Amino acid sequence: MTKVNTPLGENLWFDGELLYSLTIDNSTYNLFPQEIPFKLPLKKCSVVGNGGILKGSRCGKQIDEADFVIRCNLPPLSSDFIPDVGTKTQLVTVNPSIIDKRFQNLLWSRKSFVESVKVYKSSYVYMPAFSMKHGTEPSLRVYYTLADFSTNQTVLFANPNFLRNIGKFWKSKGVHSKRLSTGLFMVSAALSLCEEVTVYGFWPFQIDLKGKTISHHYYDDVPPMTGFHSMPEEFLQLWLLHKTGVLRVQLEQCDTASSNQKPH
């Protein structure tokens, strides 16, 4: 959301709660940058999901070679994971539910949150503040917390009109779910911002291409919420884009990857 595409006085409809809207007043308008704060088009972009297929992939170097790296939902970037996922981050998403579950909605101590985002250095923090009514307050708290602590991060708010249109697009392609995953939203954004897109860590199955059992995430094996996303349907769409050359889906180890890789 920018001052250009979301003018003062606009009646903004939330994309996740169709009956709720917000009139953009001065206090909200002043949270937005004047325009998109990075030079377009971006050249080479990496969109990094959190799938267990990244574990042991040795893709960190290749991910970091991109000009712009997008990561999803504050993933850990500790030294154990760097060879597989890299460290470079230009934009990291944060779902409001993470602020609730991991940081008590920033109602108590805010320092742990500030410390946790230092690993992303001078990145943009991207939040869907105007998707669901209950997500607005924690998103604004993130904005003011990072401002109060004078961190290197800049908060950007997802435009609900963009999220709504992307949801309709993928539904027309056969992705039927309560809501798209953050990953698919970010791949969609990257395709509109970047000349070349490679996606990593997008693999919704319990075994890899060689039949080896893998964890749900590269950092843990906590299963996803059921009935919310439709990851296999999303992956099929990404694979179709891969096959037609729109983007590249990285599934094998980066030092042994084959251009003719095929999912089982």
Side-chain angles (χ1 to χ4, degrees), residues 174-242:
V175 179
H176 300 291
S177 58
K178 191 172 180 179
R179 188 169 180 81
L180 299 181
S181 70
T182 298
L184 190 55
F185 276 125
M186 297 321 297
V187 170
S188 303
L191 288 172
S192 68
L193 298 172
C194 311
E195 294 179 347
E196 179 183 336
V197 177
T198 304
V199 301
Y200 303 82
F202 286 75
W203 181 253
F205 310 112
Q206 294 178 329
I207 58 172
D208 64 14
L209 292 173
K210 297 178 180 178
K212 179 185 174 184
T213 300
I214 56 176
S215 58
H216 181 64
H217 296 128
Y218 71 81
Y219 50 84
D220 68 30
D221 200 21
V222 177
M225 290 173 57
T226 57
F228 205 70
H229 301 311
S230 182
M231 296 303 200
E233 288 181 1
E234 290 190 7
F235 177 78
L236 174 61
Q237 295 302 319
L238 293 179
W239 189 252
L240 291 174
L241 293 176
H242 172 90

Side-chain angles (χ1 to χ4, degrees), residues 1-203:
M1 299 177 73
T2 68
K3 288 183 170 71
V4 171
N5 65 33
T6 313
L8 187 65
E10 177 171 318
N11 192 39
L12 186 75
W13 289 92
F14 285 43
D15 67 286
E17 277 185 299
L18 302 181
L19 299 178
Y20 191 74
S21 66
L22 176 76
T23 300
I24 302 300
D25 59 14
N26 273 313
S27 62
T28 307
Y29 180 75
N30 289 331
L31 302 177
F32 307 150
Q34 181 63 33
E35 54 191 16
I36 293 176
F38 29 84
K39 187 178 179 181
L40 299 178
L42 302 170
K43 294 191 179 296
K44 186 176 180 181
C45 297
S46 295
V47 183
V48 188
N50 297 328
I53 197 165
L54 271 174
K55 193 173 183 179
S57 68
R58 315 297 294 180
C59 284
K61 181 180 177 183
Q62 184 172 301
I63 288 169
D64 285 353
E65 285 173 351
D67 302 299
F68 199 88
V69 179
I70 299 172
R71 301 184 188 272
C72 299
N73 293 330
L74 299 183
L77 300 180
S78 60
S79 58
D80 292 343
F81 303 126
I82 288 174
D84 297 331
V85 303
T87 62
K88 189 175 181 179
T89 308
Q90 272 67 44
L91 186 147
V92 60
T93 72
V94 186
N95 281 346
S97 60
I98 293 175
I99 302 303
D100 179 19
K101 293 174 184 176
R102 287 171 53 182
F103 303 103
Q104 296 76 49
N105 265 331
L106 300 177
L107 290 171
W108 306 103
S109 173
R110 300 183 298 167
K111 190 174 181 180
S112 62
F113 172 71
V114 172
E115 290 295 322
S116 73
V117 297
K118 282 183 177 179
V119 69
Y120 309 111
K121 299 177 182 176
S122 56
S123 64
Y124 296 101
V125 175
Y126 186 79
M127 298 195 70
F130 305 101
S131 287
M132 304 288 285
K133 186 178 178 181
H134 66 260
T136 303
E137 200 169 301
S139 298
L140 296 181
R141 284 203 193 100
V142 167
Y143 182 99
Y144 289 117
T145 295
L146 295 181
D148 288 348
F149 281 79
S150 301
T151 68
N152 292 327
Q153 289 80 28
T154 302
V155 176
L156 300 178
F157 296 123
N159 193 315
N161 295 320
F162 164 75
L163 299 180
R164 184 182 300 107
N165 291 334
I166 290 299
K168 288 179 180 177
F169 173 81
W170 287 115
K171 187 174 183 179
S172 75
K173 297 294 182 181
V175 179
H176 300 291
S177 58
K178 191 172 180 179
R179 188 169 180 81
L180 299 181
S181 70
T182 298
L184 190 55
F185 276 125
M186 297 321 297
V187 170
S188 303
L191 288 172
S192 68
L193 298 172
C194 311
E195 294 179 347
E196 179 183 336
V197 177
T198 304
V199 301
Y200 303 82
F202 286 75
W203 181 253

